[in-house]
């Protein structure tokens, strides 16, 4: 996959048209092609929207930004803007709204898409226009729809009943490296965090800036189900010393004793995955754990969660070249280096995708599971909100924790080494896991 910044305008428009088609095919494959009208309009959890809301929302967002803002075309359905404004109506309220029924929603988003493709040729990617320069607004819309597709997958995971999604054929996992990989030392020193020149990066990824870190250790692999089960069996959920005060309150109020979707079947732990009940695979990264659980495990293990900056340095910084990469392995996305894009409906086992390791030898920093960090979500020095405050700025503060790296459900276009995700520390329906870090002794890893 070519990086958007490396293409001329003609080639970039071809890429945009191709990716618009691919993401819509994915969206329909999660909605109208696999579920009937009743399931599309039902709400499986107050945490999630009805799938038909997500479907029409991505079309309305596309109309707002690609037809009205980029191409200057008059609104098609201004009367539905309020219905599909994510900030006007919390998810729990959306089933009560007069939403477009599935067929009408599909017709609407199809008409929007036709007009977008018709207008794409006449829109100029003017470097003086931040919205269209480098095709930014088109990249924003493609990424937005892929992000909703991942949200739809979380809705599928929460729904009851027979499986609607089939496991795809197992993708190539790459070389199987040793599973018990331990940790690596990241030496002290500065690195460049964030980006100033990636044309499709969001405002919260900008600007690039130097961050100087002391030496630290970070796990080569994410924490596995086997390792997390050891924490459970050691009584980790029953020891308040491993939990923050808010985490202990969360654990007591909810009675949690395991990751979401895990249950006991006799003497065996099983999980529900998209309607299937299966033994918990011990060598996969643990997922569906909240920040409080990740933090408690790290304390039990005598470690801690990495800061966001520590995660990014381990992922992007090449100490030999003295620069940051777009991905752990380099500047261009290559298939077979990460478990992304719904190639599988689960994480890969430990030891997979060795070719996707960073310059430090840290593996699977991109794909498999979102990784909780210890950091609160905030803007970088010099942050400027663009193109609207509601994407990032309104979420800045201690209420949200940063996640990094994407999951198996994240599309390659919607994640990179600088990409920042965030959520409440109680969230478990997302495809999130973690890895641990620890501070190096003063005599280790000097700059």
């Amino acid at each position: 996959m070519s990086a958007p910044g490396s293409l001329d305008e003609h080639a970039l428009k071809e890429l945009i048209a191709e990716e618009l088609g691919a993401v819509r095919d994915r969206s329909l494959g999660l909605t109208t092609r696999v579920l009937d009208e009743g399931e599309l309009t039902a709400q499986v959890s107050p945490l999630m929207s009805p799938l038909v809301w997500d479907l029409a929302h991505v079309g309305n967002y596309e109309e707002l930004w690609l037809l009205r803002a980029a191409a200057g075309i008059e609104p098609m359905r201004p009367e539905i803007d309020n219905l599909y404004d994510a900030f006007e109506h919390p998810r729990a309220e959306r089933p009560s709204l007069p939403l477009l029924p599935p067929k009408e929603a599909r017709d609407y988003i199809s008409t929007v898409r036709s007009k977008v493709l018709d207008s794409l040729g006449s829109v100029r990617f003017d470097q003086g226009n931040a919205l269209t320069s480098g095709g930014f607004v088109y990249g924003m819309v493609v990424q937005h729809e892929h992000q909703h597709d991942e949200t739809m997958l979380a809705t599928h995971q929460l729904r009851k009943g027979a499986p609607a999604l089939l496991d795809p054929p197992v993708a190539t996992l790459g070389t199987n490296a040793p599973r018990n990989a331990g940790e690596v030392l990241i030496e002290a020193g500065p690195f460049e965090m964030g980006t100033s020149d990636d044309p499709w990066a969001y405002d919260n990824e900008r600007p690039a800036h130097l961050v100087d870190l002391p030496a630290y250790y970070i796990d080569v692999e994410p924490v596995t189900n086997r390792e997390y089960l050891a924490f459970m069996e050691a009584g980790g959920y029953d020891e308040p010393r491993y939990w923050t005060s808010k985490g202990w309150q969360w654990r007591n109020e909810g009675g949690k004793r395991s990751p979401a979707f895990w249950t006991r079947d006799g003497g065996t732990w099983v999980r529900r995955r998209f309607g299937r009940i299966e033994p918990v695979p011990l060598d996969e990264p643990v997922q569906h754990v909240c920040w409080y659980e990740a933090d408690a495990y790290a304390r039990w293990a005598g470690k801690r969660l990495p800061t966001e900056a520590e995660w990014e340095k381990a992922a992007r910084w090449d100490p030999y070249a003295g620069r940051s990469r777009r991905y752990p392995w380099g500047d261009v996305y290559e298939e077979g280096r990460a478990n992304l894009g719904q190639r599988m409906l689960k994480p890969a086992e430990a030891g997979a995708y060795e070719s996707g390791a960073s310059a430090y030898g840290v593996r699977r920093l991109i794909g498999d599971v979102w990784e909780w960090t210890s950091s609160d979500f905030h803007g970088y020095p010099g942050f400027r909100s663009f193109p609207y405050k509601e994407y990032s700025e309104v979420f800045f503060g201690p209420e949200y924790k940063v996640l990094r790296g994407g999951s198996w459900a994240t599309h390659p276009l919607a994640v990179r080494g600088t990409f920042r995700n965030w959520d409440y520390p109680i969230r478990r329906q997302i495809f999130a896991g973690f890895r641990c870090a620890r501070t190096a002794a003063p005599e280790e890893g000097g700059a």
Side-chain angles (χ1 to χ4, degrees), residues 34-44 50-52 159-160 162 164:
V34 294
L35 295 173
D36 60 26
E37 181 166 340
E39 292 219 78
L40 291 171
T41 57
Q43 185 179 47
V44 301
L51 287 168
V52 74
R159 66 179 282 273
K160 303 297 193 294

mmCIF file of all heavy atoms in Angstrom, residues 34-44 50-52 159-160 162 164:
data_model
loop_
_atom_site.group_PDB
_atom_site.id
_atom_site.type_symbol
_atom_site.label_atom_id
_atom_site.label_comp_id
_atom_site.label_asym_id
_atom_site.label_seq_id
_atom_site.Cartn_x
_atom_site.Cartn_y
_atom_site.Cartn_z
ATOM 1 N N VAL A 34 -25.546 -9.328 6.065
ATOM 2 C CA VAL A 34 -25.479 -10.456 7.002
ATOM 3 C C VAL A 34 -26.582 -10.446 8.057
ATOM 4 O O VAL A 34 -26.758 -11.450 8.752
ATOM 5 C CB VAL A 34 -24.097 -10.501 7.703
ATOM 6 C CG1 VAL A 34 -22.995 -10.820 6.715
ATOM 7 C CG2 VAL A 34 -23.804 -9.204 8.453
ATOM 8 N N LEU A 35 -27.317 -9.346 8.188
ATOM 9 C CA LEU A 35 -28.341 -9.257 9.226
ATOM 10 C C LEU A 35 -29.658 -8.790 8.633
ATOM 11 O O LEU A 35 -29.683 -8.000 7.664
ATOM 12 C CB LEU A 35 -27.900 -8.283 10.326
ATOM 13 C CG LEU A 35 -26.678 -8.688 11.152
ATOM 14 C CD1 LEU A 35 -26.271 -7.546 12.086
ATOM 15 C CD2 LEU A 35 -26.927 -9.958 11.945
ATOM 16 N N ASP A 36 -30.755 -9.228 9.229
ATOM 17 C CA ASP A 36 -32.063 -8.795 8.749
ATOM 18 C C ASP A 36 -32.416 -7.436 9.363
ATOM 19 O O ASP A 36 -31.694 -6.899 10.219
ATOM 20 C CB ASP A 36 -33.140 -9.836 9.037
ATOM 21 C CG ASP A 36 -33.305 -10.132 10.534
ATOM 22 O OD1 ASP A 36 -32.998 -9.256 11.374
ATOM 23 O OD2 ASP A 36 -33.758 -11.243 10.870
ATOM 24 N N GLU A 37 -33.564 -6.890 8.947
ATOM 25 C CA GLU A 37 -33.944 -5.553 9.382
ATOM 26 C C GLU A 37 -34.097 -5.464 10.896
ATOM 27 O O GLU A 37 -33.704 -4.470 11.516
ATOM 28 C CB GLU A 37 -35.250 -5.130 8.697
ATOM 29 C CG GLU A 37 -35.687 -3.724 9.088
ATOM 30 C CD GLU A 37 -36.764 -3.177 8.171
ATOM 31 O OE1 GLU A 37 -36.918 -3.691 7.047
ATOM 32 O OE2 GLU A 37 -37.439 -2.216 8.575
ATOM 33 N N GLY A 38 -34.653 -6.520 11.501
ATOM 34 C CA GLY A 38 -34.840 -6.486 12.944
ATOM 35 C C GLY A 38 -33.532 -6.366 13.704
ATOM 36 O O GLY A 38 -33.433 -5.613 14.675
ATOM 37 N N GLU A 39 -32.517 -7.093 13.257
ATOM 38 C CA GLU A 39 -31.228 -7.019 13.946
ATOM 39 C C GLU A 39 -30.504 -5.713 13.643
ATOM 40 O O GLU A 39 -29.756 -5.205 14.487
ATOM 41 C CB GLU A 39 -30.364 -8.215 13.546
ATOM 42 C CG GLU A 39 -30.891 -9.543 14.059
ATOM 43 C CD GLU A 39 -29.778 -10.457 14.526
ATOM 44 O OE1 GLU A 39 -29.273 -10.255 15.636
ATOM 45 O OE2 GLU A 39 -29.422 -11.351 13.747
ATOM 46 N N LEU A 40 -30.712 -5.165 12.478
ATOM 47 C CA LEU A 40 -30.060 -3.901 12.136
ATOM 48 C C LEU A 40 -30.628 -2.734 12.937
ATOM 49 O O LEU A 40 -29.922 -1.763 13.221
ATOM 50 C CB LEU A 40 -30.203 -3.612 10.644
ATOM 51 C CG LEU A 40 -29.423 -4.534 9.700
ATOM 52 C CD1 LEU A 40 -29.828 -4.283 8.255
ATOM 53 C CD2 LEU A 40 -27.918 -4.327 9.870
ATOM 54 N N THR A 41 -31.886 -2.816 13.283
ATOM 55 C CA THR A 41 -32.520 -1.712 14.007
ATOM 56 C C THR A 41 -32.518 -1.919 15.523
ATOM 57 O O THR A 41 -32.842 -0.997 16.269
ATOM 58 C CB THR A 41 -33.970 -1.520 13.531
ATOM 59 O OG1 THR A 41 -34.690 -2.747 13.697
ATOM 60 C CG2 THR A 41 -34.005 -1.111 12.061
ATOM 61 N N ALA A 42 -32.151 -3.111 15.984
ATOM 62 C CA ALA A 42 -32.130 -3.399 17.418
ATOM 63 C C ALA A 42 -30.872 -2.810 18.064
ATOM 64 O O ALA A 42 -29.851 -2.613 17.406
ATOM 65 C CB ALA A 42 -32.176 -4.904 17.652
ATOM 66 N N GLN A 43 -30.961 -2.556 19.351
ATOM 67 C CA GLN A 43 -29.793 -2.125 20.115
ATOM 68 C C GLN A 43 -29.371 -3.277 21.017
ATOM 69 O O GLN A 43 -30.110 -3.687 21.908
ATOM 70 C CB GLN A 43 -30.102 -0.885 20.944
ATOM 71 C CG GLN A 43 -28.876 -0.333 21.662
ATOM 72 C CD GLN A 43 -29.188 0.915 22.463
ATOM 73 O OE1 GLN A 43 -30.176 0.942 23.197
ATOM 74 N NE2 GLN A 43 -28.359 1.940 22.335
ATOM 75 N N VAL A 44 -28.164 -3.812 20.786
ATOM 76 C CA VAL A 44 -27.721 -4.979 21.549
ATOM 77 C C VAL A 44 -27.191 -4.595 22.924
ATOM 78 O O VAL A 44 -27.090 -5.428 23.816
ATOM 79 C CB VAL A 44 -26.643 -5.768 20.779
ATOM 80 C CG1 VAL A 44 -27.169 -6.232 19.432
ATOM 81 C CG2 VAL A 44 -25.365 -4.947 20.604
ATOM 82 N N PRO A 50 -27.669 1.177 17.346
ATOM 83 C CA PRO A 50 -28.163 0.192 16.380
ATOM 84 C C PRO A 50 -27.286 0.257 15.127
ATOM 85 O O PRO A 50 -26.849 1.338 14.716
ATOM 86 C CB PRO A 50 -29.591 0.666 16.089
ATOM 87 C CG PRO A 50 -29.965 1.539 17.237
ATOM 88 C CD PRO A 50 -28.694 2.191 17.685
ATOM 89 N N LEU A 51 -27.018 -0.863 14.525
ATOM 90 C CA LEU A 51 -26.131 -0.881 13.362
ATOM 91 C C LEU A 51 -26.644 0.000 12.229
ATOM 92 O O LEU A 51 -25.849 0.575 11.477
ATOM 93 C CB LEU A 51 -25.934 -2.321 12.877
ATOM 94 C CG LEU A 51 -25.041 -3.185 13.768
ATOM 95 C CD1 LEU A 51 -25.138 -4.640 13.365
ATOM 96 C CD2 LEU A 51 -23.593 -2.706 13.699
ATOM 97 N N VAL A 52 -27.954 0.146 12.112
ATOM 98 C CA VAL A 52 -28.486 0.985 11.039
ATOM 99 C C VAL A 52 -28.129 2.451 11.260
ATOM 100 O O VAL A 52 -28.016 3.225 10.306
ATOM 101 C CB VAL A 52 -30.012 0.773 10.896
ATOM 102 C CG1 VAL A 52 -30.780 1.449 12.046
ATOM 103 C CG2 VAL A 52 -30.507 1.274 9.548
ATOM 104 N N ARG A 159 -23.709 -8.812 20.458
ATOM 105 C CA ARG A 159 -25.023 -9.357 20.126
ATOM 106 C C ARG A 159 -25.110 -10.829 20.519
ATOM 107 O O ARG A 159 -24.119 -11.551 20.542
ATOM 108 C CB ARG A 159 -25.365 -9.176 18.646
ATOM 109 C CG ARG A 159 -24.495 -9.960 17.683
ATOM 110 C CD ARG A 159 -24.897 -9.767 16.225
ATOM 111 N NE ARG A 159 -26.067 -10.540 15.875
ATOM 112 C CZ ARG A 159 -26.013 -11.817 15.461
ATOM 113 N NH1 ARG A 159 -24.868 -12.461 15.374
ATOM 114 N NH2 ARG A 159 -27.112 -12.449 15.149
ATOM 115 N N LYS A 160 -26.306 -11.250 20.836
ATOM 116 C CA LYS A 160 -26.568 -12.653 21.168
ATOM 117 C C LYS A 160 -27.049 -13.369 19.906
ATOM 118 O O LYS A 160 -27.342 -12.767 18.893
ATOM 119 C CB LYS A 160 -27.625 -12.751 22.259
ATOM 120 C CG LYS A 160 -27.261 -12.003 23.541
ATOM 121 C CD LYS A 160 -26.019 -12.565 24.222
ATOM 122 C CE LYS A 160 -25.860 -12.031 25.631
ATOM 123 N NZ LYS A 160 -25.583 -10.572 25.653
ATOM 124 N N ALA A 162 -27.041 -16.677 16.951
ATOM 125 C CA ALA A 162 -26.135 -17.437 16.087
ATOM 126 C C ALA A 162 -25.109 -16.508 15.441
ATOM 127 O O ALA A 162 -25.374 -15.321 15.215
ATOM 128 C CB ALA A 162 -26.941 -18.156 15.003
ATOM 129 N N ALA A 164 -23.098 -14.369 12.933
ATOM 130 C CA ALA A 164 -23.404 -13.729 11.650
ATOM 131 C C ALA A 164 -22.149 -13.562 10.804
ATOM 132 O O ALA A 164 -22.240 -13.349 9.598
ATOM 133 C CB ALA A 164 -24.049 -12.370 11.883
#
